[in-house]
Amino acid sequence: MKYLISLIFSTFLFASEVFFMPIDGKKAENKLYYTYTHAHKNIKIIIYTFTNKKLAKALKIASKHHVKITIIADKKEAKFQKSVIPNLAAIKNIKIYLLHGKAYKNGDFGKLHAKVSIVDDKILITGSANYSYSAFFKNYEYIIFHYDKHLIKKFDWFFEYLKSKATPYRLSQ
């Protein structure tokens, strides 16, 4: 009986949810929106492309509830005309950092291609999808919600490592 209870508890503790796009695009977008708007203390995001206005709105709502939001975005993609990064940078409680990948010998740079969110140090969201219309409704992508504390700590370390290498976004860029 004790074994059965611990098995059930650990299943719920480390359960994951997965969404496959474009099949689950609306469900995935809604789950992210809900997760962001119901955060209590912090949201940390690493993203390559961020053009999804619904998810930007969710972050704006969270910031109004005094949730501390930190986003590390790809330096080149953040300047893309449809990027919501400049709009988010103007909102109180949202800090943006920019980073590109490592330099090549020819002077070009790699990409910050990771897609990660950590919410309240309890939920890890990762996968192949950028926060764009195409990722949710056109492309074959996936997003996984993880609840494993050990895994969350590893990704939090990665977030802090990238943040230490990134430069703060300035609105005048």
Side-chain angles (χ1 to χ4, degrees):
M1 183 65 168
K2 190 176 177 182
Y3 175 75
L4 182 61
I5 290 170
S6 84
L7 180 64
I8 291 170
F9 179 72
S10 66
T11 301
F12 285 113
L13 187 63
F14 301 116
S16 296
E17 296 174 78
V18 64
F19 298 90
F20 297 105
M21 276 72 83
I23 303 152
D24 298 327
K26 196 67 178 165
K27 282 193 238 175
E29 185 183 53
N30 288 338
K31 174 75 177 189
L32 272 168
Y33 183 90
Y34 179 87
T35 302
Y36 288 162
T37 59
H38 287 77
H40 296 290
K41 61 179 188 171
N42 62 49
I43 300 170
K44 300 173 182 179
I45 299 172
I46 305 167
I47 198 73
Y48 176 66
T49 299
F50 195 153
T51 59
N52 186 304
K53 290 180 180 168
K54 182 175 180 174
L55 296 181
K57 181 181 176 183
L59 294 175
K60 186 176 181 179
I61 291 167
S63 75
K64 285 182 180 178
H65 293 111
H66 307 290
V67 174
K68 193 174 145 189
I69 301 163
T70 308
I71 301 170
I72 305 170
D74 183 81
K75 197 170 198 170
K76 185 177 176 184
E77 284 295 305
K79 295 176 184 178
F80 177 60
Q81 187 177 11
K82 293 182 181 183
S83 176
V84 298
I85 293 297
N87 296 335
L88 291 172
I91 297 171
K92 186 179 178 182
N93 293 327
I94 299 180
K95 291 186 179 174
I96 308 286
Y97 293 85
L98 301 178
L99 184 65
H100 48 66
K102 293 185 89 171
Y104 293 117
K105 289 180 182 178
N106 68 0
D108 290 341
F109 289 94
K111 300 172 184 174
L112 171 65
H113 208 253
K115 293 99 174 169
V116 176
S117 291
I118 303 168
V119 179
D120 291 335
D121 303 315
K122 295 179 181 178
I123 303 168
L124 170 66
I125 305 154
T126 189
S128 65
N130 284 300
Y131 292 172
S132 68
Y133 178 84
S134 294
F136 284 89
F137 302 106
K138 291 183 177 180
N139 299 346
Y140 294 111
E141 309 266 7
Y142 68 93
I143 290 178
I144 302 175
F145 285 71
H146 303 276
Y147 305 93
D148 179 331
K149 288 179 183 180
H150 180 69
L151 195 57
I152 292 167
K153 280 186 178 187
K154 284 187 169 202
F155 273 90
D156 190 56
W157 175 89
F158 183 59
F159 179 88
E160 294 300 330
Y161 173 77
L162 293 180
K163 185 178 161 194
S164 75
K165 302 226 172 267
T167 56
Y169 183 92
R170 286 187 219 93
L171 289 173
S172 61
Q173 290 182 331

